[in-house]
Amino acid sequence: MSDRERTADNGIQEKNRILLEARHLVKEFPAGGTRKNPQVVHAVTDVNLEIFEGETLALVGESGCGKSTLGRVLIRLLEPTAGEMLYQGKEIVGMKEKEFAALRREMQIIFQDPYASLNPRMSVREIIGEPLLTYGMKDKKEREMRVRELMQEVGIAQEFYNRYPHQFSGGQRQRIGIARAIALNPRLIICDEPVSALDVSIQSQVLNLLKDLQERYGLTYLFISHDLSVVKFIADRVCVMFLGSVCEIGDTDKLYEKPLHPYTHFLLSAIPKADPRLRNPDKELLSGEIPSPVNPPSGCRFHTRCPYAKDICSQKTPECKKVEGRQVFCHFPLD
Amino acid sequence: MGETMILDIKNLQSHFFTAKGEVPAVDGVSIQVPQGKIIGIVGESGCGKSMTAMSVMGLLRYPGRVVGGSIALAGRDITHLTPKELSLVRGNEISMIFQEPMTSLNPVYPVGKQVREAILLHQKLSKTEAKERVIDIFRAVGIPEPEKRYYSYPHQLSGGLRQRVMIGMAMVCHPKVMIADEPTTALDVTIEAQILQLMKKLCKEQGTSIILITHNMGVVAEVCDYVYVMYAGKVMEQAETFALFDHPSHPYTQGLLKSIPKLDEKAERLYTIEGVVPNLLHLPKGCSFCTRCDQAQERCFVQKPCLYEAADGHGVRCFQYESGGQLDE
């Protein structure tokens, strides 16, 4: 299948090109056990994913579903256990570090915790300037100009040039993290829960900033979040994950309007809505807890919690089904 | 409100005496809790919502201290109880659940034993009877296999189960009031929905009043009967849940509600409240929200507004509603 056909399949305009593609991606972590019988955490299992240029693809799911791991594997902060990754059509799994370094500046990441992701002993100047220095901007004057330009870009006042992270609030720190991420004019930014540590009033400021930057520089975002209302605001497409595997991928509006996978349905209905008139005392809730990724259930990973599960669900892993240009991994998609 | 108030907090002031100065973390907060209702306290970090709860529980630690106001539980003033008297009230008539169930349970004791401790402290029951009570409450809060879970250690339970244990511990003596400080913030949405439903059920069945502290407007809308919106140590707006969401009156409440991304509409940009929460040491001279308020007038910067009655049972701390009666002093 050529790029073009594949994009048409997804119902996305065909001028959109695939920036990063994952095929049968697997990531496992050792989890003790004995030498004869080692145990592994199946963090990401057989994920196929495409990220188109200029879009925002959201990865959503509950804690432990592998969304952060997948984000890190995609920019090779973690090496995949198996599978292929194509960046602009080029295989990047197993690429030599020297060769990959040139691509690495095109892929950046913004972390969740603005308190842990900035070095407390470095000033704003050093934090934002570090990637510039690493990638060869040796001239001090030039670097200062660029750092100040970036500060302006993300809304940090110029007089804070020499300040340290502890002198900033959470929202401002996140802005510094964003400035660092865009310093090298990347194409792809992994946003790993960038606003979940922030207060509501600050959260909206940062979300608007991310949207502005995307427009200005044509950035591509992989936006990892557990907050479905934030995702609704920022994402073009959504990929719902459960216990390491993909449940459903589709356009944001369509997916929210009519979820195809039972898990997506329950996830959406579980969000507390900020309108008391939408209260529903008889709301159907998902029972049970998330199974362990060390011993994931057989067949469809969701079958132990799914109220619609039939025999086949515990025996056979569901294949990708295409429904109205959306992908769903379920034996019995909702309609 | 004509109902009987099980908990009546009047003009509570809790200050922290730090090296940099006196920080008014809770600055004249009045909250009334009727029996069998869920009261929400909502606000951003640092607005004093948790400190209000800690003051009520008598858990404020140095350098913090309650410096004014009164707290009455079922008609009895509990503001100035000795530690011994307080320990008879705490956990028995009024109890609390915290945000992080992992850090609030003791890791070296089985959870059943920890819950049993609460019963043995407050009630004259034998150990076997107490154990039965624990297993009953575990069943009531929806813990599967309660006999087996009685002997589990906290690390063997998931976050959702741990929070159920905490709720069980808080409910086991049938308290009059339970304070829940961000009980679902650390949990996933599907588990959060389960816990909220459980709290609602317990409130209804046992007639316990709940004070729910949260930053999530969605949680408030879902379960609360009455809401207090706090900002910089003060109540900015108070109203019945439906009234608050239908007619948010304080500019801060309006801003908060507008800045949450909505599920049912597609916005190009989100509304933002400019600026950051002010430092409590250097509060503006007038209204504490004036520097961020888009409706601020000149007098907002020099004069502090009181809580005015905008409608029946709807209080707003903003000069725009001055024509209504004053609700506090």
Side-chain angles (χ1 to χ4, degrees):
Chain A
M1 227 188 329
S2 75
D3 272 9
R4 264 187 125 174
E5 280 170 279
R6 201 172 291 119
T7 50
D9 250 6
N10 277 295
I12 301 284
Q13 290 171 338
E14 40 172 61
K15 64 173 184 195
N16 283 2
R17 285 185 33 235
I18 294 178
L19 183 66
L20 182 61
E21 184 181 356
R23 287 187 194 154
H24 305 293
L25 209 58
V26 177
K27 178 67 189 172
E28 292 167 352
F29 294 103
T34 54
R35 188 173 294 179
K36 269 191 194 147
N37 183 17
Q39 296 211 308
V40 264
V41 174
H42 302 268
V44 173
T45 338
D46 196 20
V47 167
N48 291 292
L49 197 69
E50 287 129 12
I51 305 175
F52 297 96
E53 243 182 284
E55 76 164 348
T56 302
L57 173 66
L59 278 184
V60 301
E62 297 179 273
S63 43
C65 74
K67 52 191 193 304
S68 287
T69 307
L70 179 58
R72 277 160 211 227
V73 169
L74 285 174
I75 54 170
R76 278 190 62 193
L77 284 180
L78 291 169
E79 289 296 328
T81 311
E84 300 169 11
M85 291 192 298
L86 302 175
Y87 181 80
Q88 294 183 312
K90 228 190 287 169
E91 173 70 59
I92 55 170
V93 177
M95 192 186 257
K96 291 236 170 60
E97 193 51 44
K98 236 184 190 164
E99 201 181 339
F100 188 63
L103 293 179
R104 187 150 262 167
R105 63 180 298 172
E106 297 189 4
M107 313 168 179
Q108 295 293 328
I109 183 163
I110 302 165
F111 296 97
Q112 170 172 9
D113 186 351
Y115 293 85
S117 56
L118 302 178
N119 188 336
R121 301 182 63 161
M122 283 163 86
S123 64
V124 173
R125 167 175 60 90
E126 291 166 305
I127 290 170
I128 305 179
E130 195 180 26
L132 299 171
L133 189 63
T134 316
Y135 278 91
M137 196 185 274
K138 296 273 188 288
D139 184 58
K140 244 187 176 169
K141 278 258 165 59
E142 197 187 341
R143 215 163 58 227
E144 173 168 351
M145 258 174 58
R146 177 70 181 141
V147 170
R148 286 188 182 276
E149 192 182 295
L150 286 163
M151 286 171 69
Q152 170 115 34
E153 201 76 60
V154 298
I156 300 274
Q158 296 293 334
E159 64 257 35
F160 298 154
Y161 185 66
N162 279 314
R163 291 219 186 160
Y164 287 85
H166 72 267
Q167 295 167 298
F168 292 94
S169 67
Q172 284 174 312
R173 285 179 206 219
Q174 205 53 301
R175 286 172 192 268
I176 298 169
I178 293 172
R180 176 176 63 183
I182 62 169
L184 295 166
N185 295 318
R187 278 165 187 267
L188 174 68
I189 299 185
I190 312 280
C191 309
D192 191 356
E193 306 251 14
V195 295
S196 35
L198 307 177
D199 272 320
V200 192
S201 71
I202 309 299
Q203 180 176 309
S204 57
Q205 295 173 3
V206 172
L207 285 173
N208 280 341
L209 172 67
L210 284 172
K211 232 176 175 173
D212 291 345
L213 291 173
Q214 177 169 45
E215 229 163 75
R216 207 168 308 149
Y217 298 106
L219 295 169
T220 306
Y221 288 145
L222 180 72
F223 194 92
I224 301 170
S225 179
H226 68 274
D227 186 336
L228 285 146
S229 23
V230 167
V231 165
K232 165 92 190 194
F233 167 70
I234 201 152
D236 302 314
R237 289 195 308 140
V238 179
C239 167
V240 181
M241 287 183 75
F242 183 78
L243 210 63
S245 51
V246 173
C247 294
E248 180 171 1
I249 305 179
D251 284 354
T252 311
D253 295 341
K254 287 187 195 154
L255 186 132
Y256 277 66
E257 209 169 281
K258 201 182 118 197
L260 294 174
H261 198 286
Y263 180 61
T264 319
H265 166 73
F266 284 107
L267 209 53
L268 283 169
S269 78
I271 313 171
K273 320 274 181 312
D275 181 354
R277 305 223 177 265
L278 296 176
R279 271 185 203 177
N280 176 9
D282 314 310
K283 188 155 83 175
E284 237 188 305
L285 290 184
L286 210 50
S287 58
E289 310 250 338
I290 303 160
S292 152
V294 179
N295 295 305
S298 59
C300 172
R301 299 235 159 150
F302 184 57
H303 84 260
T304 54
R305 293 181 85 190
C306 183
Y308 312 122
K310 304 224 165 58
D311 287 345
I312 185 177
C313 300
S314 57
Q315 290 151 11
K316 204 166 156 268
T317 311
E319 309 249 321
C320 174
K321 285 205 181 97
K322 297 248 159 86
V323 183
E324 295 157 30
R326 288 153 62 183
Q327 299 173 28
V328 56
F329 295 77
C330 178
H331 291 298
F332 309 101
L334 305 170
D335 43 33
Chain B
M1 286 184 281
E3 299 150 279
T4 45
M5 294 306 155
I6 201 79
L7 182 69
D8 196 352
I9 306 169
K10 279 211 181 88
N11 198 23
L12 181 72
Q13 288 171 311
S14 298
H15 291 190
F16 280 76
F17 299 87
T18 66
K20 285 179 181 162
E22 197 174 325
V23 182
V26 181
D27 195 9
V29 169
S30 300
I31 289 173
Q32 273 111 35
V33 186
Q35 202 206 328
K37 291 276 160 68
I38 304 184
I39 304 298
I41 304 180
V42 62
E44 299 179 279
S45 34
C47 73
K49 52 191 195 301
S50 292
M51 284 310 139
T52 307
M54 294 302 232
S55 309
V56 173
M57 294 294 290
L59 290 173
L60 270 194
R61 286 283 164 271
Y62 177 84
R65 192 148 47 85
V66 176
V67 293
S70 67
I71 305 158
L73 181 65
R76 175 180 174 216
D77 192 334
I78 57 164
T79 329
H80 302 289
L81 294 185
T82 62
K84 207 172 175 187
E85 290 169 324
L86 196 59
S87 70
L88 291 177
V89 174
R90 204 165 38 205
N92 193 17
E93 293 178 55
I94 184 164
S95 58
M96 186 160 178
I97 19 181
F98 299 89
Q99 174 173 358
E100 217 334 293
M102 191 65 217
T103 45
S104 33
L105 286 168
N106 190 331
V108 298
Y109 288 105
V111 290
K113 239 179 158 175
Q114 299 185 44
V115 178
R116 193 184 66 180
E117 192 188 342
I119 306 175
L120 293 177
L121 258 175
H122 295 295
Q123 288 171 14
K124 287 200 181 81
L125 284 180
S126 74
K127 280 189 177 174
T128 10
E129 285 168 328
K131 185 184 165 185
E132 273 163 30
R133 281 279 296 278
V134 174
I135 290 172
D136 285 345
I137 196 88
F138 274 10
R139 201 169 287 127
V141 296
I143 296 176
E145 303 176 89
E147 289 89 0
K148 214 174 121 198
R149 288 298 172 216
Y150 183 89
Y151 298 102
S152 298
Y153 288 88
H155 75 268
Q156 295 170 314
L157 304 178
S158 66
L161 276 185
R162 273 183 228 139
Q163 203 56 291
R164 282 174 196 266
V165 170
M166 285 300 296
I167 294 176
M169 191 188 292
M171 295 298 293
V172 77
C173 294
H174 302 291
K176 299 191 173 91
V177 181
M178 177 167 86
I179 302 179
D181 189 358
E182 306 256 8
T184 58
T185 308
L187 306 176
D188 283 314
V189 268
T190 57
I191 312 294
E192 173 176 58
Q194 293 172 6
I195 297 286
L196 290 178
Q197 206 177 49
L198 169 70
M199 287 179 43
K200 244 171 144 172
K201 193 183 107 197
L202 290 173
C203 175
K204 215 181 195 171
E205 284 171 3
Q206 311 205 355
T208 305
S209 309
I210 297 178
I211 299 181
L212 183 73
I213 298 174
T214 180
H215 67 275
N216 188 336
M217 279 292 191
V219 170
V220 169
E222 199 90 2
V223 299
C224 294
D225 299 302
Y226 200 86
V227 189
Y228 291 82
V229 181
M230 283 187 70
Y231 185 79
K234 282 195 164 70
V235 172
M236 284 302 184
E237 183 165 1
Q238 58 185 71
E240 282 181 3
T241 310
F242 283 87
L244 186 91
F245 282 88
D246 286 347
H247 310 285
S249 303
H250 196 282
Y252 177 60
T253 320
Q254 291 169 356
L256 268 187
L257 284 172
K258 272 194 277 182
S259 54
I260 311 169
K262 304 284 178 310
L263 276 174
D264 46 1
E265 56 193 70
K266 189 88 187 167
E268 270 313 303
R269 286 182 70 79
L270 288 173
Y271 178 84
T272 57
I273 304 176
E274 289 307 324
V276 290
V277 181
N279 185 338
L280 289 175
L281 275 173
H282 310 286
L283 280 177
K285 200 171 154 229
C287 171
S288 38
F289 188 59
C290 67
T291 50
R292 302 176 73 189
C293 182
D294 54 7
Q295 300 164 29
Q297 315 270 319
E298 266 174 46
R299 82 185 265 213
C300 301
F301 290 89
V302 287
Q303 199 183 341
K304 285 194 194 304
C306 300
L307 203 59
Y308 303 108
E309 192 161 17
D312 197 22
H314 192 151
V316 186
R317 192 179 294 279
C318 179
F319 288 121
Q320 294 177 41
Y321 301 90
E322 209 176 1
S323 51
Q326 212 167 300
L327 284 174
D328 64 351
E329 53 285 339

